[in-house]
Amino acid sequence: MDVSSLIEGVLAGDRRAVARAISMVEDGARGLAELSAGLYPHTGQAYTIGLTGSPGVGKSSLAQHLVKQARERNHAVAVLAIDPTSPFTGGALLGDRLRMQEHATDRGVFIRSMATRGHLGGMALAAPEAMRILDASGKDVVMVETVGVGQAEVEVATATDTAVVVVSPGWGDAVQVAKAGILEVADVFVVNKADKEGAQEAARDLRHMLKMGPASDWLPPVVLTSTVSGEGIDELWDAIEGHRKHQESTGDVLQKRRDRLLNEVEGMAAQEFRQLTRGALEADSELARSLEQREVDPYRAAAILLEWASTPDPHTGS
Amino acid sequence: MDVSSLIEGVLAGDRRAVARAISMVEDGARGLAELSAGLYPHTGQAYTIGLTGSPGVGKSSLAQHLVKQARERNHAVAVLAIDPTSPFTGGALLGDRLRMQEHATDRGVFIRSMATRGHLGGMALAAPEAMRILDASGKDVVMVETVGVGQAEVEVATATDTAVVVVSPGWGDAVQVAKAGILEVADVFVVNKADKEGAQEAARDLRHMLKMGPASDWLPPVVLTSTVSGEGIDELWDAIEGHRKHQESTGDVLQKRRDRLLNEVEGMAAQEFRQLTRGALEADSELARSLEQREVDPYRAAAILLEWASTPDPHTGS
């Protein structure tokens, strides 16, 4: 399949074309620029939701419940699970199959996990590209779910219209949330496993800490959920909808989307620049040797790389 | 204090100079290039150890125990805790005071947490810079500890000579480790809270999964520790020493250091490039408008930025 047929397929909502296009992002394939050019004019319709939280708090189950909520409201919905699963467990594919089973015959649902090791920009650049493919394919709601709760994962999950941070009573208390630096970036908090001991306390602590934070026109709601009993899922959907309406009324949603896009383009250009200058720093290059010998320090070496890149022909330039 | 006095102070091992220099890294201060140039020739002596794992598994307590181990062997030691603590909790400073109490009168110990929000390159670029300062100040062992276990945190902790991944029985099982993609990057595994239920099983599962992994000349040991009873701490130190001797005998340690350095310099140059091109993408620029109107797609916009940067005078260039 060539890229132009692939673009047609994605725009028609063809599942195999969408899967194929996301694999291209995953692998950092050559045709990505052409794919992006063809799809980009057809993006901007989907509302995006990010889900982040430590491994084991129940993000995937929550995503499943949110898919049901979306379908009940007749929204076409996609879930993108950013999954750095080790190549020797093969968990991603197995997980996909399990997740898809329930929705196998529903053409309004697309679930896909994505490893990002082939993409040179890592998950920060791969995720928004994949989300645009899902947007262009006609999904009304695109959810992105990360494994883990580090800086990169939080950046990916908050590069969405509504960022949902999930904790569980077993995971640790609200102080851990503060330590992880995710208190300020959440639009909605979920305390999952609401049936477990300590859930009410975790929710209370979170609410307390959020109130101590800087004043803002949006105070993130804290929702208690149980993915076993289904408790709180309606409230979670309402909280997300509430945030959507709030920022659509203020115009913040468009402003945030523009800022994210500019930031992403800067990151893409920096990544390309990195590729361009790679040759100058090969292991046997003079610059690498000077660095190793400690004749040139890292800052100076970086400055030399920048000069090298802006010389019209780097191979003959001074 | 000007930068040249600061360099002298750091090289003399003066605590206030070291603290000041690390603050400069934290803030991304102007004098960093000069500081780097002055200190770099005096680096390369310290052995570096990374500690990573989910919040709450006990990394800080383990670091304290490892400090004692290092002091018993007469090593000067530093701990750098990379801490994205929210500005409204102020946890970092409080934490530092608590951590330092025990070693307040020991000039062979330096403990410092570092927020990295002011540094444009984030923790990936700030951490190695701060570690070089500690190295130049005469520390034999430099430990870096991250909060959280995401992609960026794992990268920082594994950009060390020996990467230690810490789990606890309460944190989740070995499968979570595999899902987080940290199975392949650890040189030593710790199951902390060895007195808790499930510790032996977690260690056994980890060993099993490690054996299933790709063949390598180093099989990461799995050490059970308790920071309460002190159990296993000697074994942990021995495991780290074992890894050190192993890679010193193969020469891997030098190779890995060189690769990390080149990678870091590439990242620094890309970050500078990003700063350089920022103006071209200001919110009211033509390029930003074209992106918003979907007339130019993100790939094309990134390519335009690259062209812009390599034009001799971007402001008058075509």
Side-chain angles (χ1 to χ4, degrees), chain B residues 111-145:
Chain B
I111 299 181
R112 164 72 186 248
S113 61
M114 183 168 76
T116 56
R117 296 206 168 160
H119 195 293
L120 292 165
M123 69 174 96
L125 292 181
E129 264 191 81
M131 290 168 84
R132 274 196 295 273
I133 292 168
L134 296 165
D135 180 349
S137 81
K139 295 290 177 273
D140 307 301
V141 175
V142 174
M143 280 187 265
V144 61
E145 171 201 333

Side-chain angles (χ1 to χ4, degrees), chain A residues 52-108:
Chain A
T52 191
S54 280
V57 295
K59 294 182 296 289
S60 301
S61 305
L62 270 177
Q64 295 290 324
H65 279 283
L66 289 174
V67 164
K68 275 188 218 157
Q69 294 277 331
R71 294 303 292 145
E72 281 167 22
R73 286 155 184 86
N74 227 9
H75 297 315
V77 61
V79 180
L80 186 71
I82 309 291
D83 194 343
T85 299
S86 132
F88 55 91
T89 64
L93 279 177
L94 178 65
D96 272 4
R97 277 187 218 125
L98 290 172
R99 288 144 155 275
M100 282 301 287
Q101 264 174 3
E102 195 179 345
H103 308 286
T105 58
D106 182 352
R107 295 184 52 83

Side-chain angles (χ1 to χ4, degrees), chain A residues 176, chain B residues 52-60 62 166-169 171 192-193 227:
Chain A
Q176 300 288 7
Chain B
T52 192
S54 280
V57 295
K59 293 182 298 288
S60 301
L62 270 178
V166 189
V167 301
S168 74
W171 175 62
N192 193 29
K193 308 188 181 174
T227 50

Side-chain angles (χ1 to χ4, degrees), chain B residues 103-315:
Chain B
H103 308 285
T105 58
D106 182 351
R107 294 183 52 82
V109 178
F110 185 90
I111 299 181
R112 164 72 186 248
S113 61
M114 183 168 76
T116 56
R117 296 206 168 160
H119 195 293
L120 292 165
M123 69 174 96
L125 292 181
E129 264 191 81
M131 290 168 84
R132 274 196 295 273
I133 292 168
L134 296 165
D135 180 349
S137 81
K139 295 290 177 273
D140 307 301
V141 175
V142 174
M143 280 187 265
V144 61
E145 171 201 333
T146 62
V147 173
V149 69
Q151 182 176 278
E153 289 75 9
V154 168
E155 272 170 28
V156 165
T158 56
T160 53
D161 297 326
T162 297
V164 180
V165 171
V166 189
V167 301
S168 74
W171 175 62
D173 57 358
V175 174
Q176 299 290 5
V177 171
K179 277 180 82 174
I182 53 184
L183 204 55
E184 312 89 320
V185 295
D187 301 309
V188 173
F189 268 102
V190 174
V191 178
N192 193 29
K193 308 188 181 174
D195 40 332
K196 272 203 177 177
E197 204 185 307
Q200 296 289 348
E201 289 73 14
R204 191 196 54 208
D205 290 352
L206 276 171
R207 288 191 189 108
H208 182 64
M209 287 176 72
L210 288 164
K211 272 179 202 146
M212 292 196 312
S216 158
D217 58 355
W218 176 256
L219 182 68
V222 178
V223 185
L224 283 150
T225 59
S226 164
T227 50
V228 182
S229 70
E231 177 197 334
I233 305 291
D234 287 335
E235 287 85 345
L236 174 55
W237 185 267
D238 291 345
I240 295 168
E241 270 293 305
H243 182 243
R244 176 181 190 154
K245 280 177 191 145
H246 166 77
Q247 61 179 351
E248 281 175 354
S249 73
T250 59
D252 282 357
V253 69
L254 292 177
Q255 171 79 44
K256 276 167 61 187
R257 284 178 186 176
R258 190 183 66 187
D259 292 349
R260 290 201 304 261
L261 183 62
L262 298 184
N263 188 48
E264 185 193 342
V265 168
E266 275 178 24
M268 286 169 77
Q271 186 55 47
E272 299 247 333
F273 167 83
R274 205 164 169 163
Q275 283 308 103
L276 187 70
T277 54
R278 193 161 286 258
L281 255 191
E282 274 164 10
D284 57 350
S285 67
E286 207 189 308
L287 188 52
R289 265 196 299 272
S290 308
L291 261 168
E292 262 198 293
Q293 304 297 322
R294 294 188 164 70
E295 296 156 6
V296 168
D297 72 283
Y299 270 86
R300 180 73 200 120
I304 291 170
L305 276 191
L306 266 176
E307 284 162 27
W308 187 87
S310 58
T311 304
D313 183 348
H315 299 285

Side-chain angles (χ1 to χ4, degrees), chain A residues 1-13 17 21 31 34-39 42 136:
Chain A
M1 206 191 278
D2 62 10
V3 176
S4 61
S5 328
L6 194 60
I7 291 167
E8 274 177 48
V10 170
L11 294 178
E34 193 187 339
L35 184 71
S36 163
L39 296 180
H42 306 279

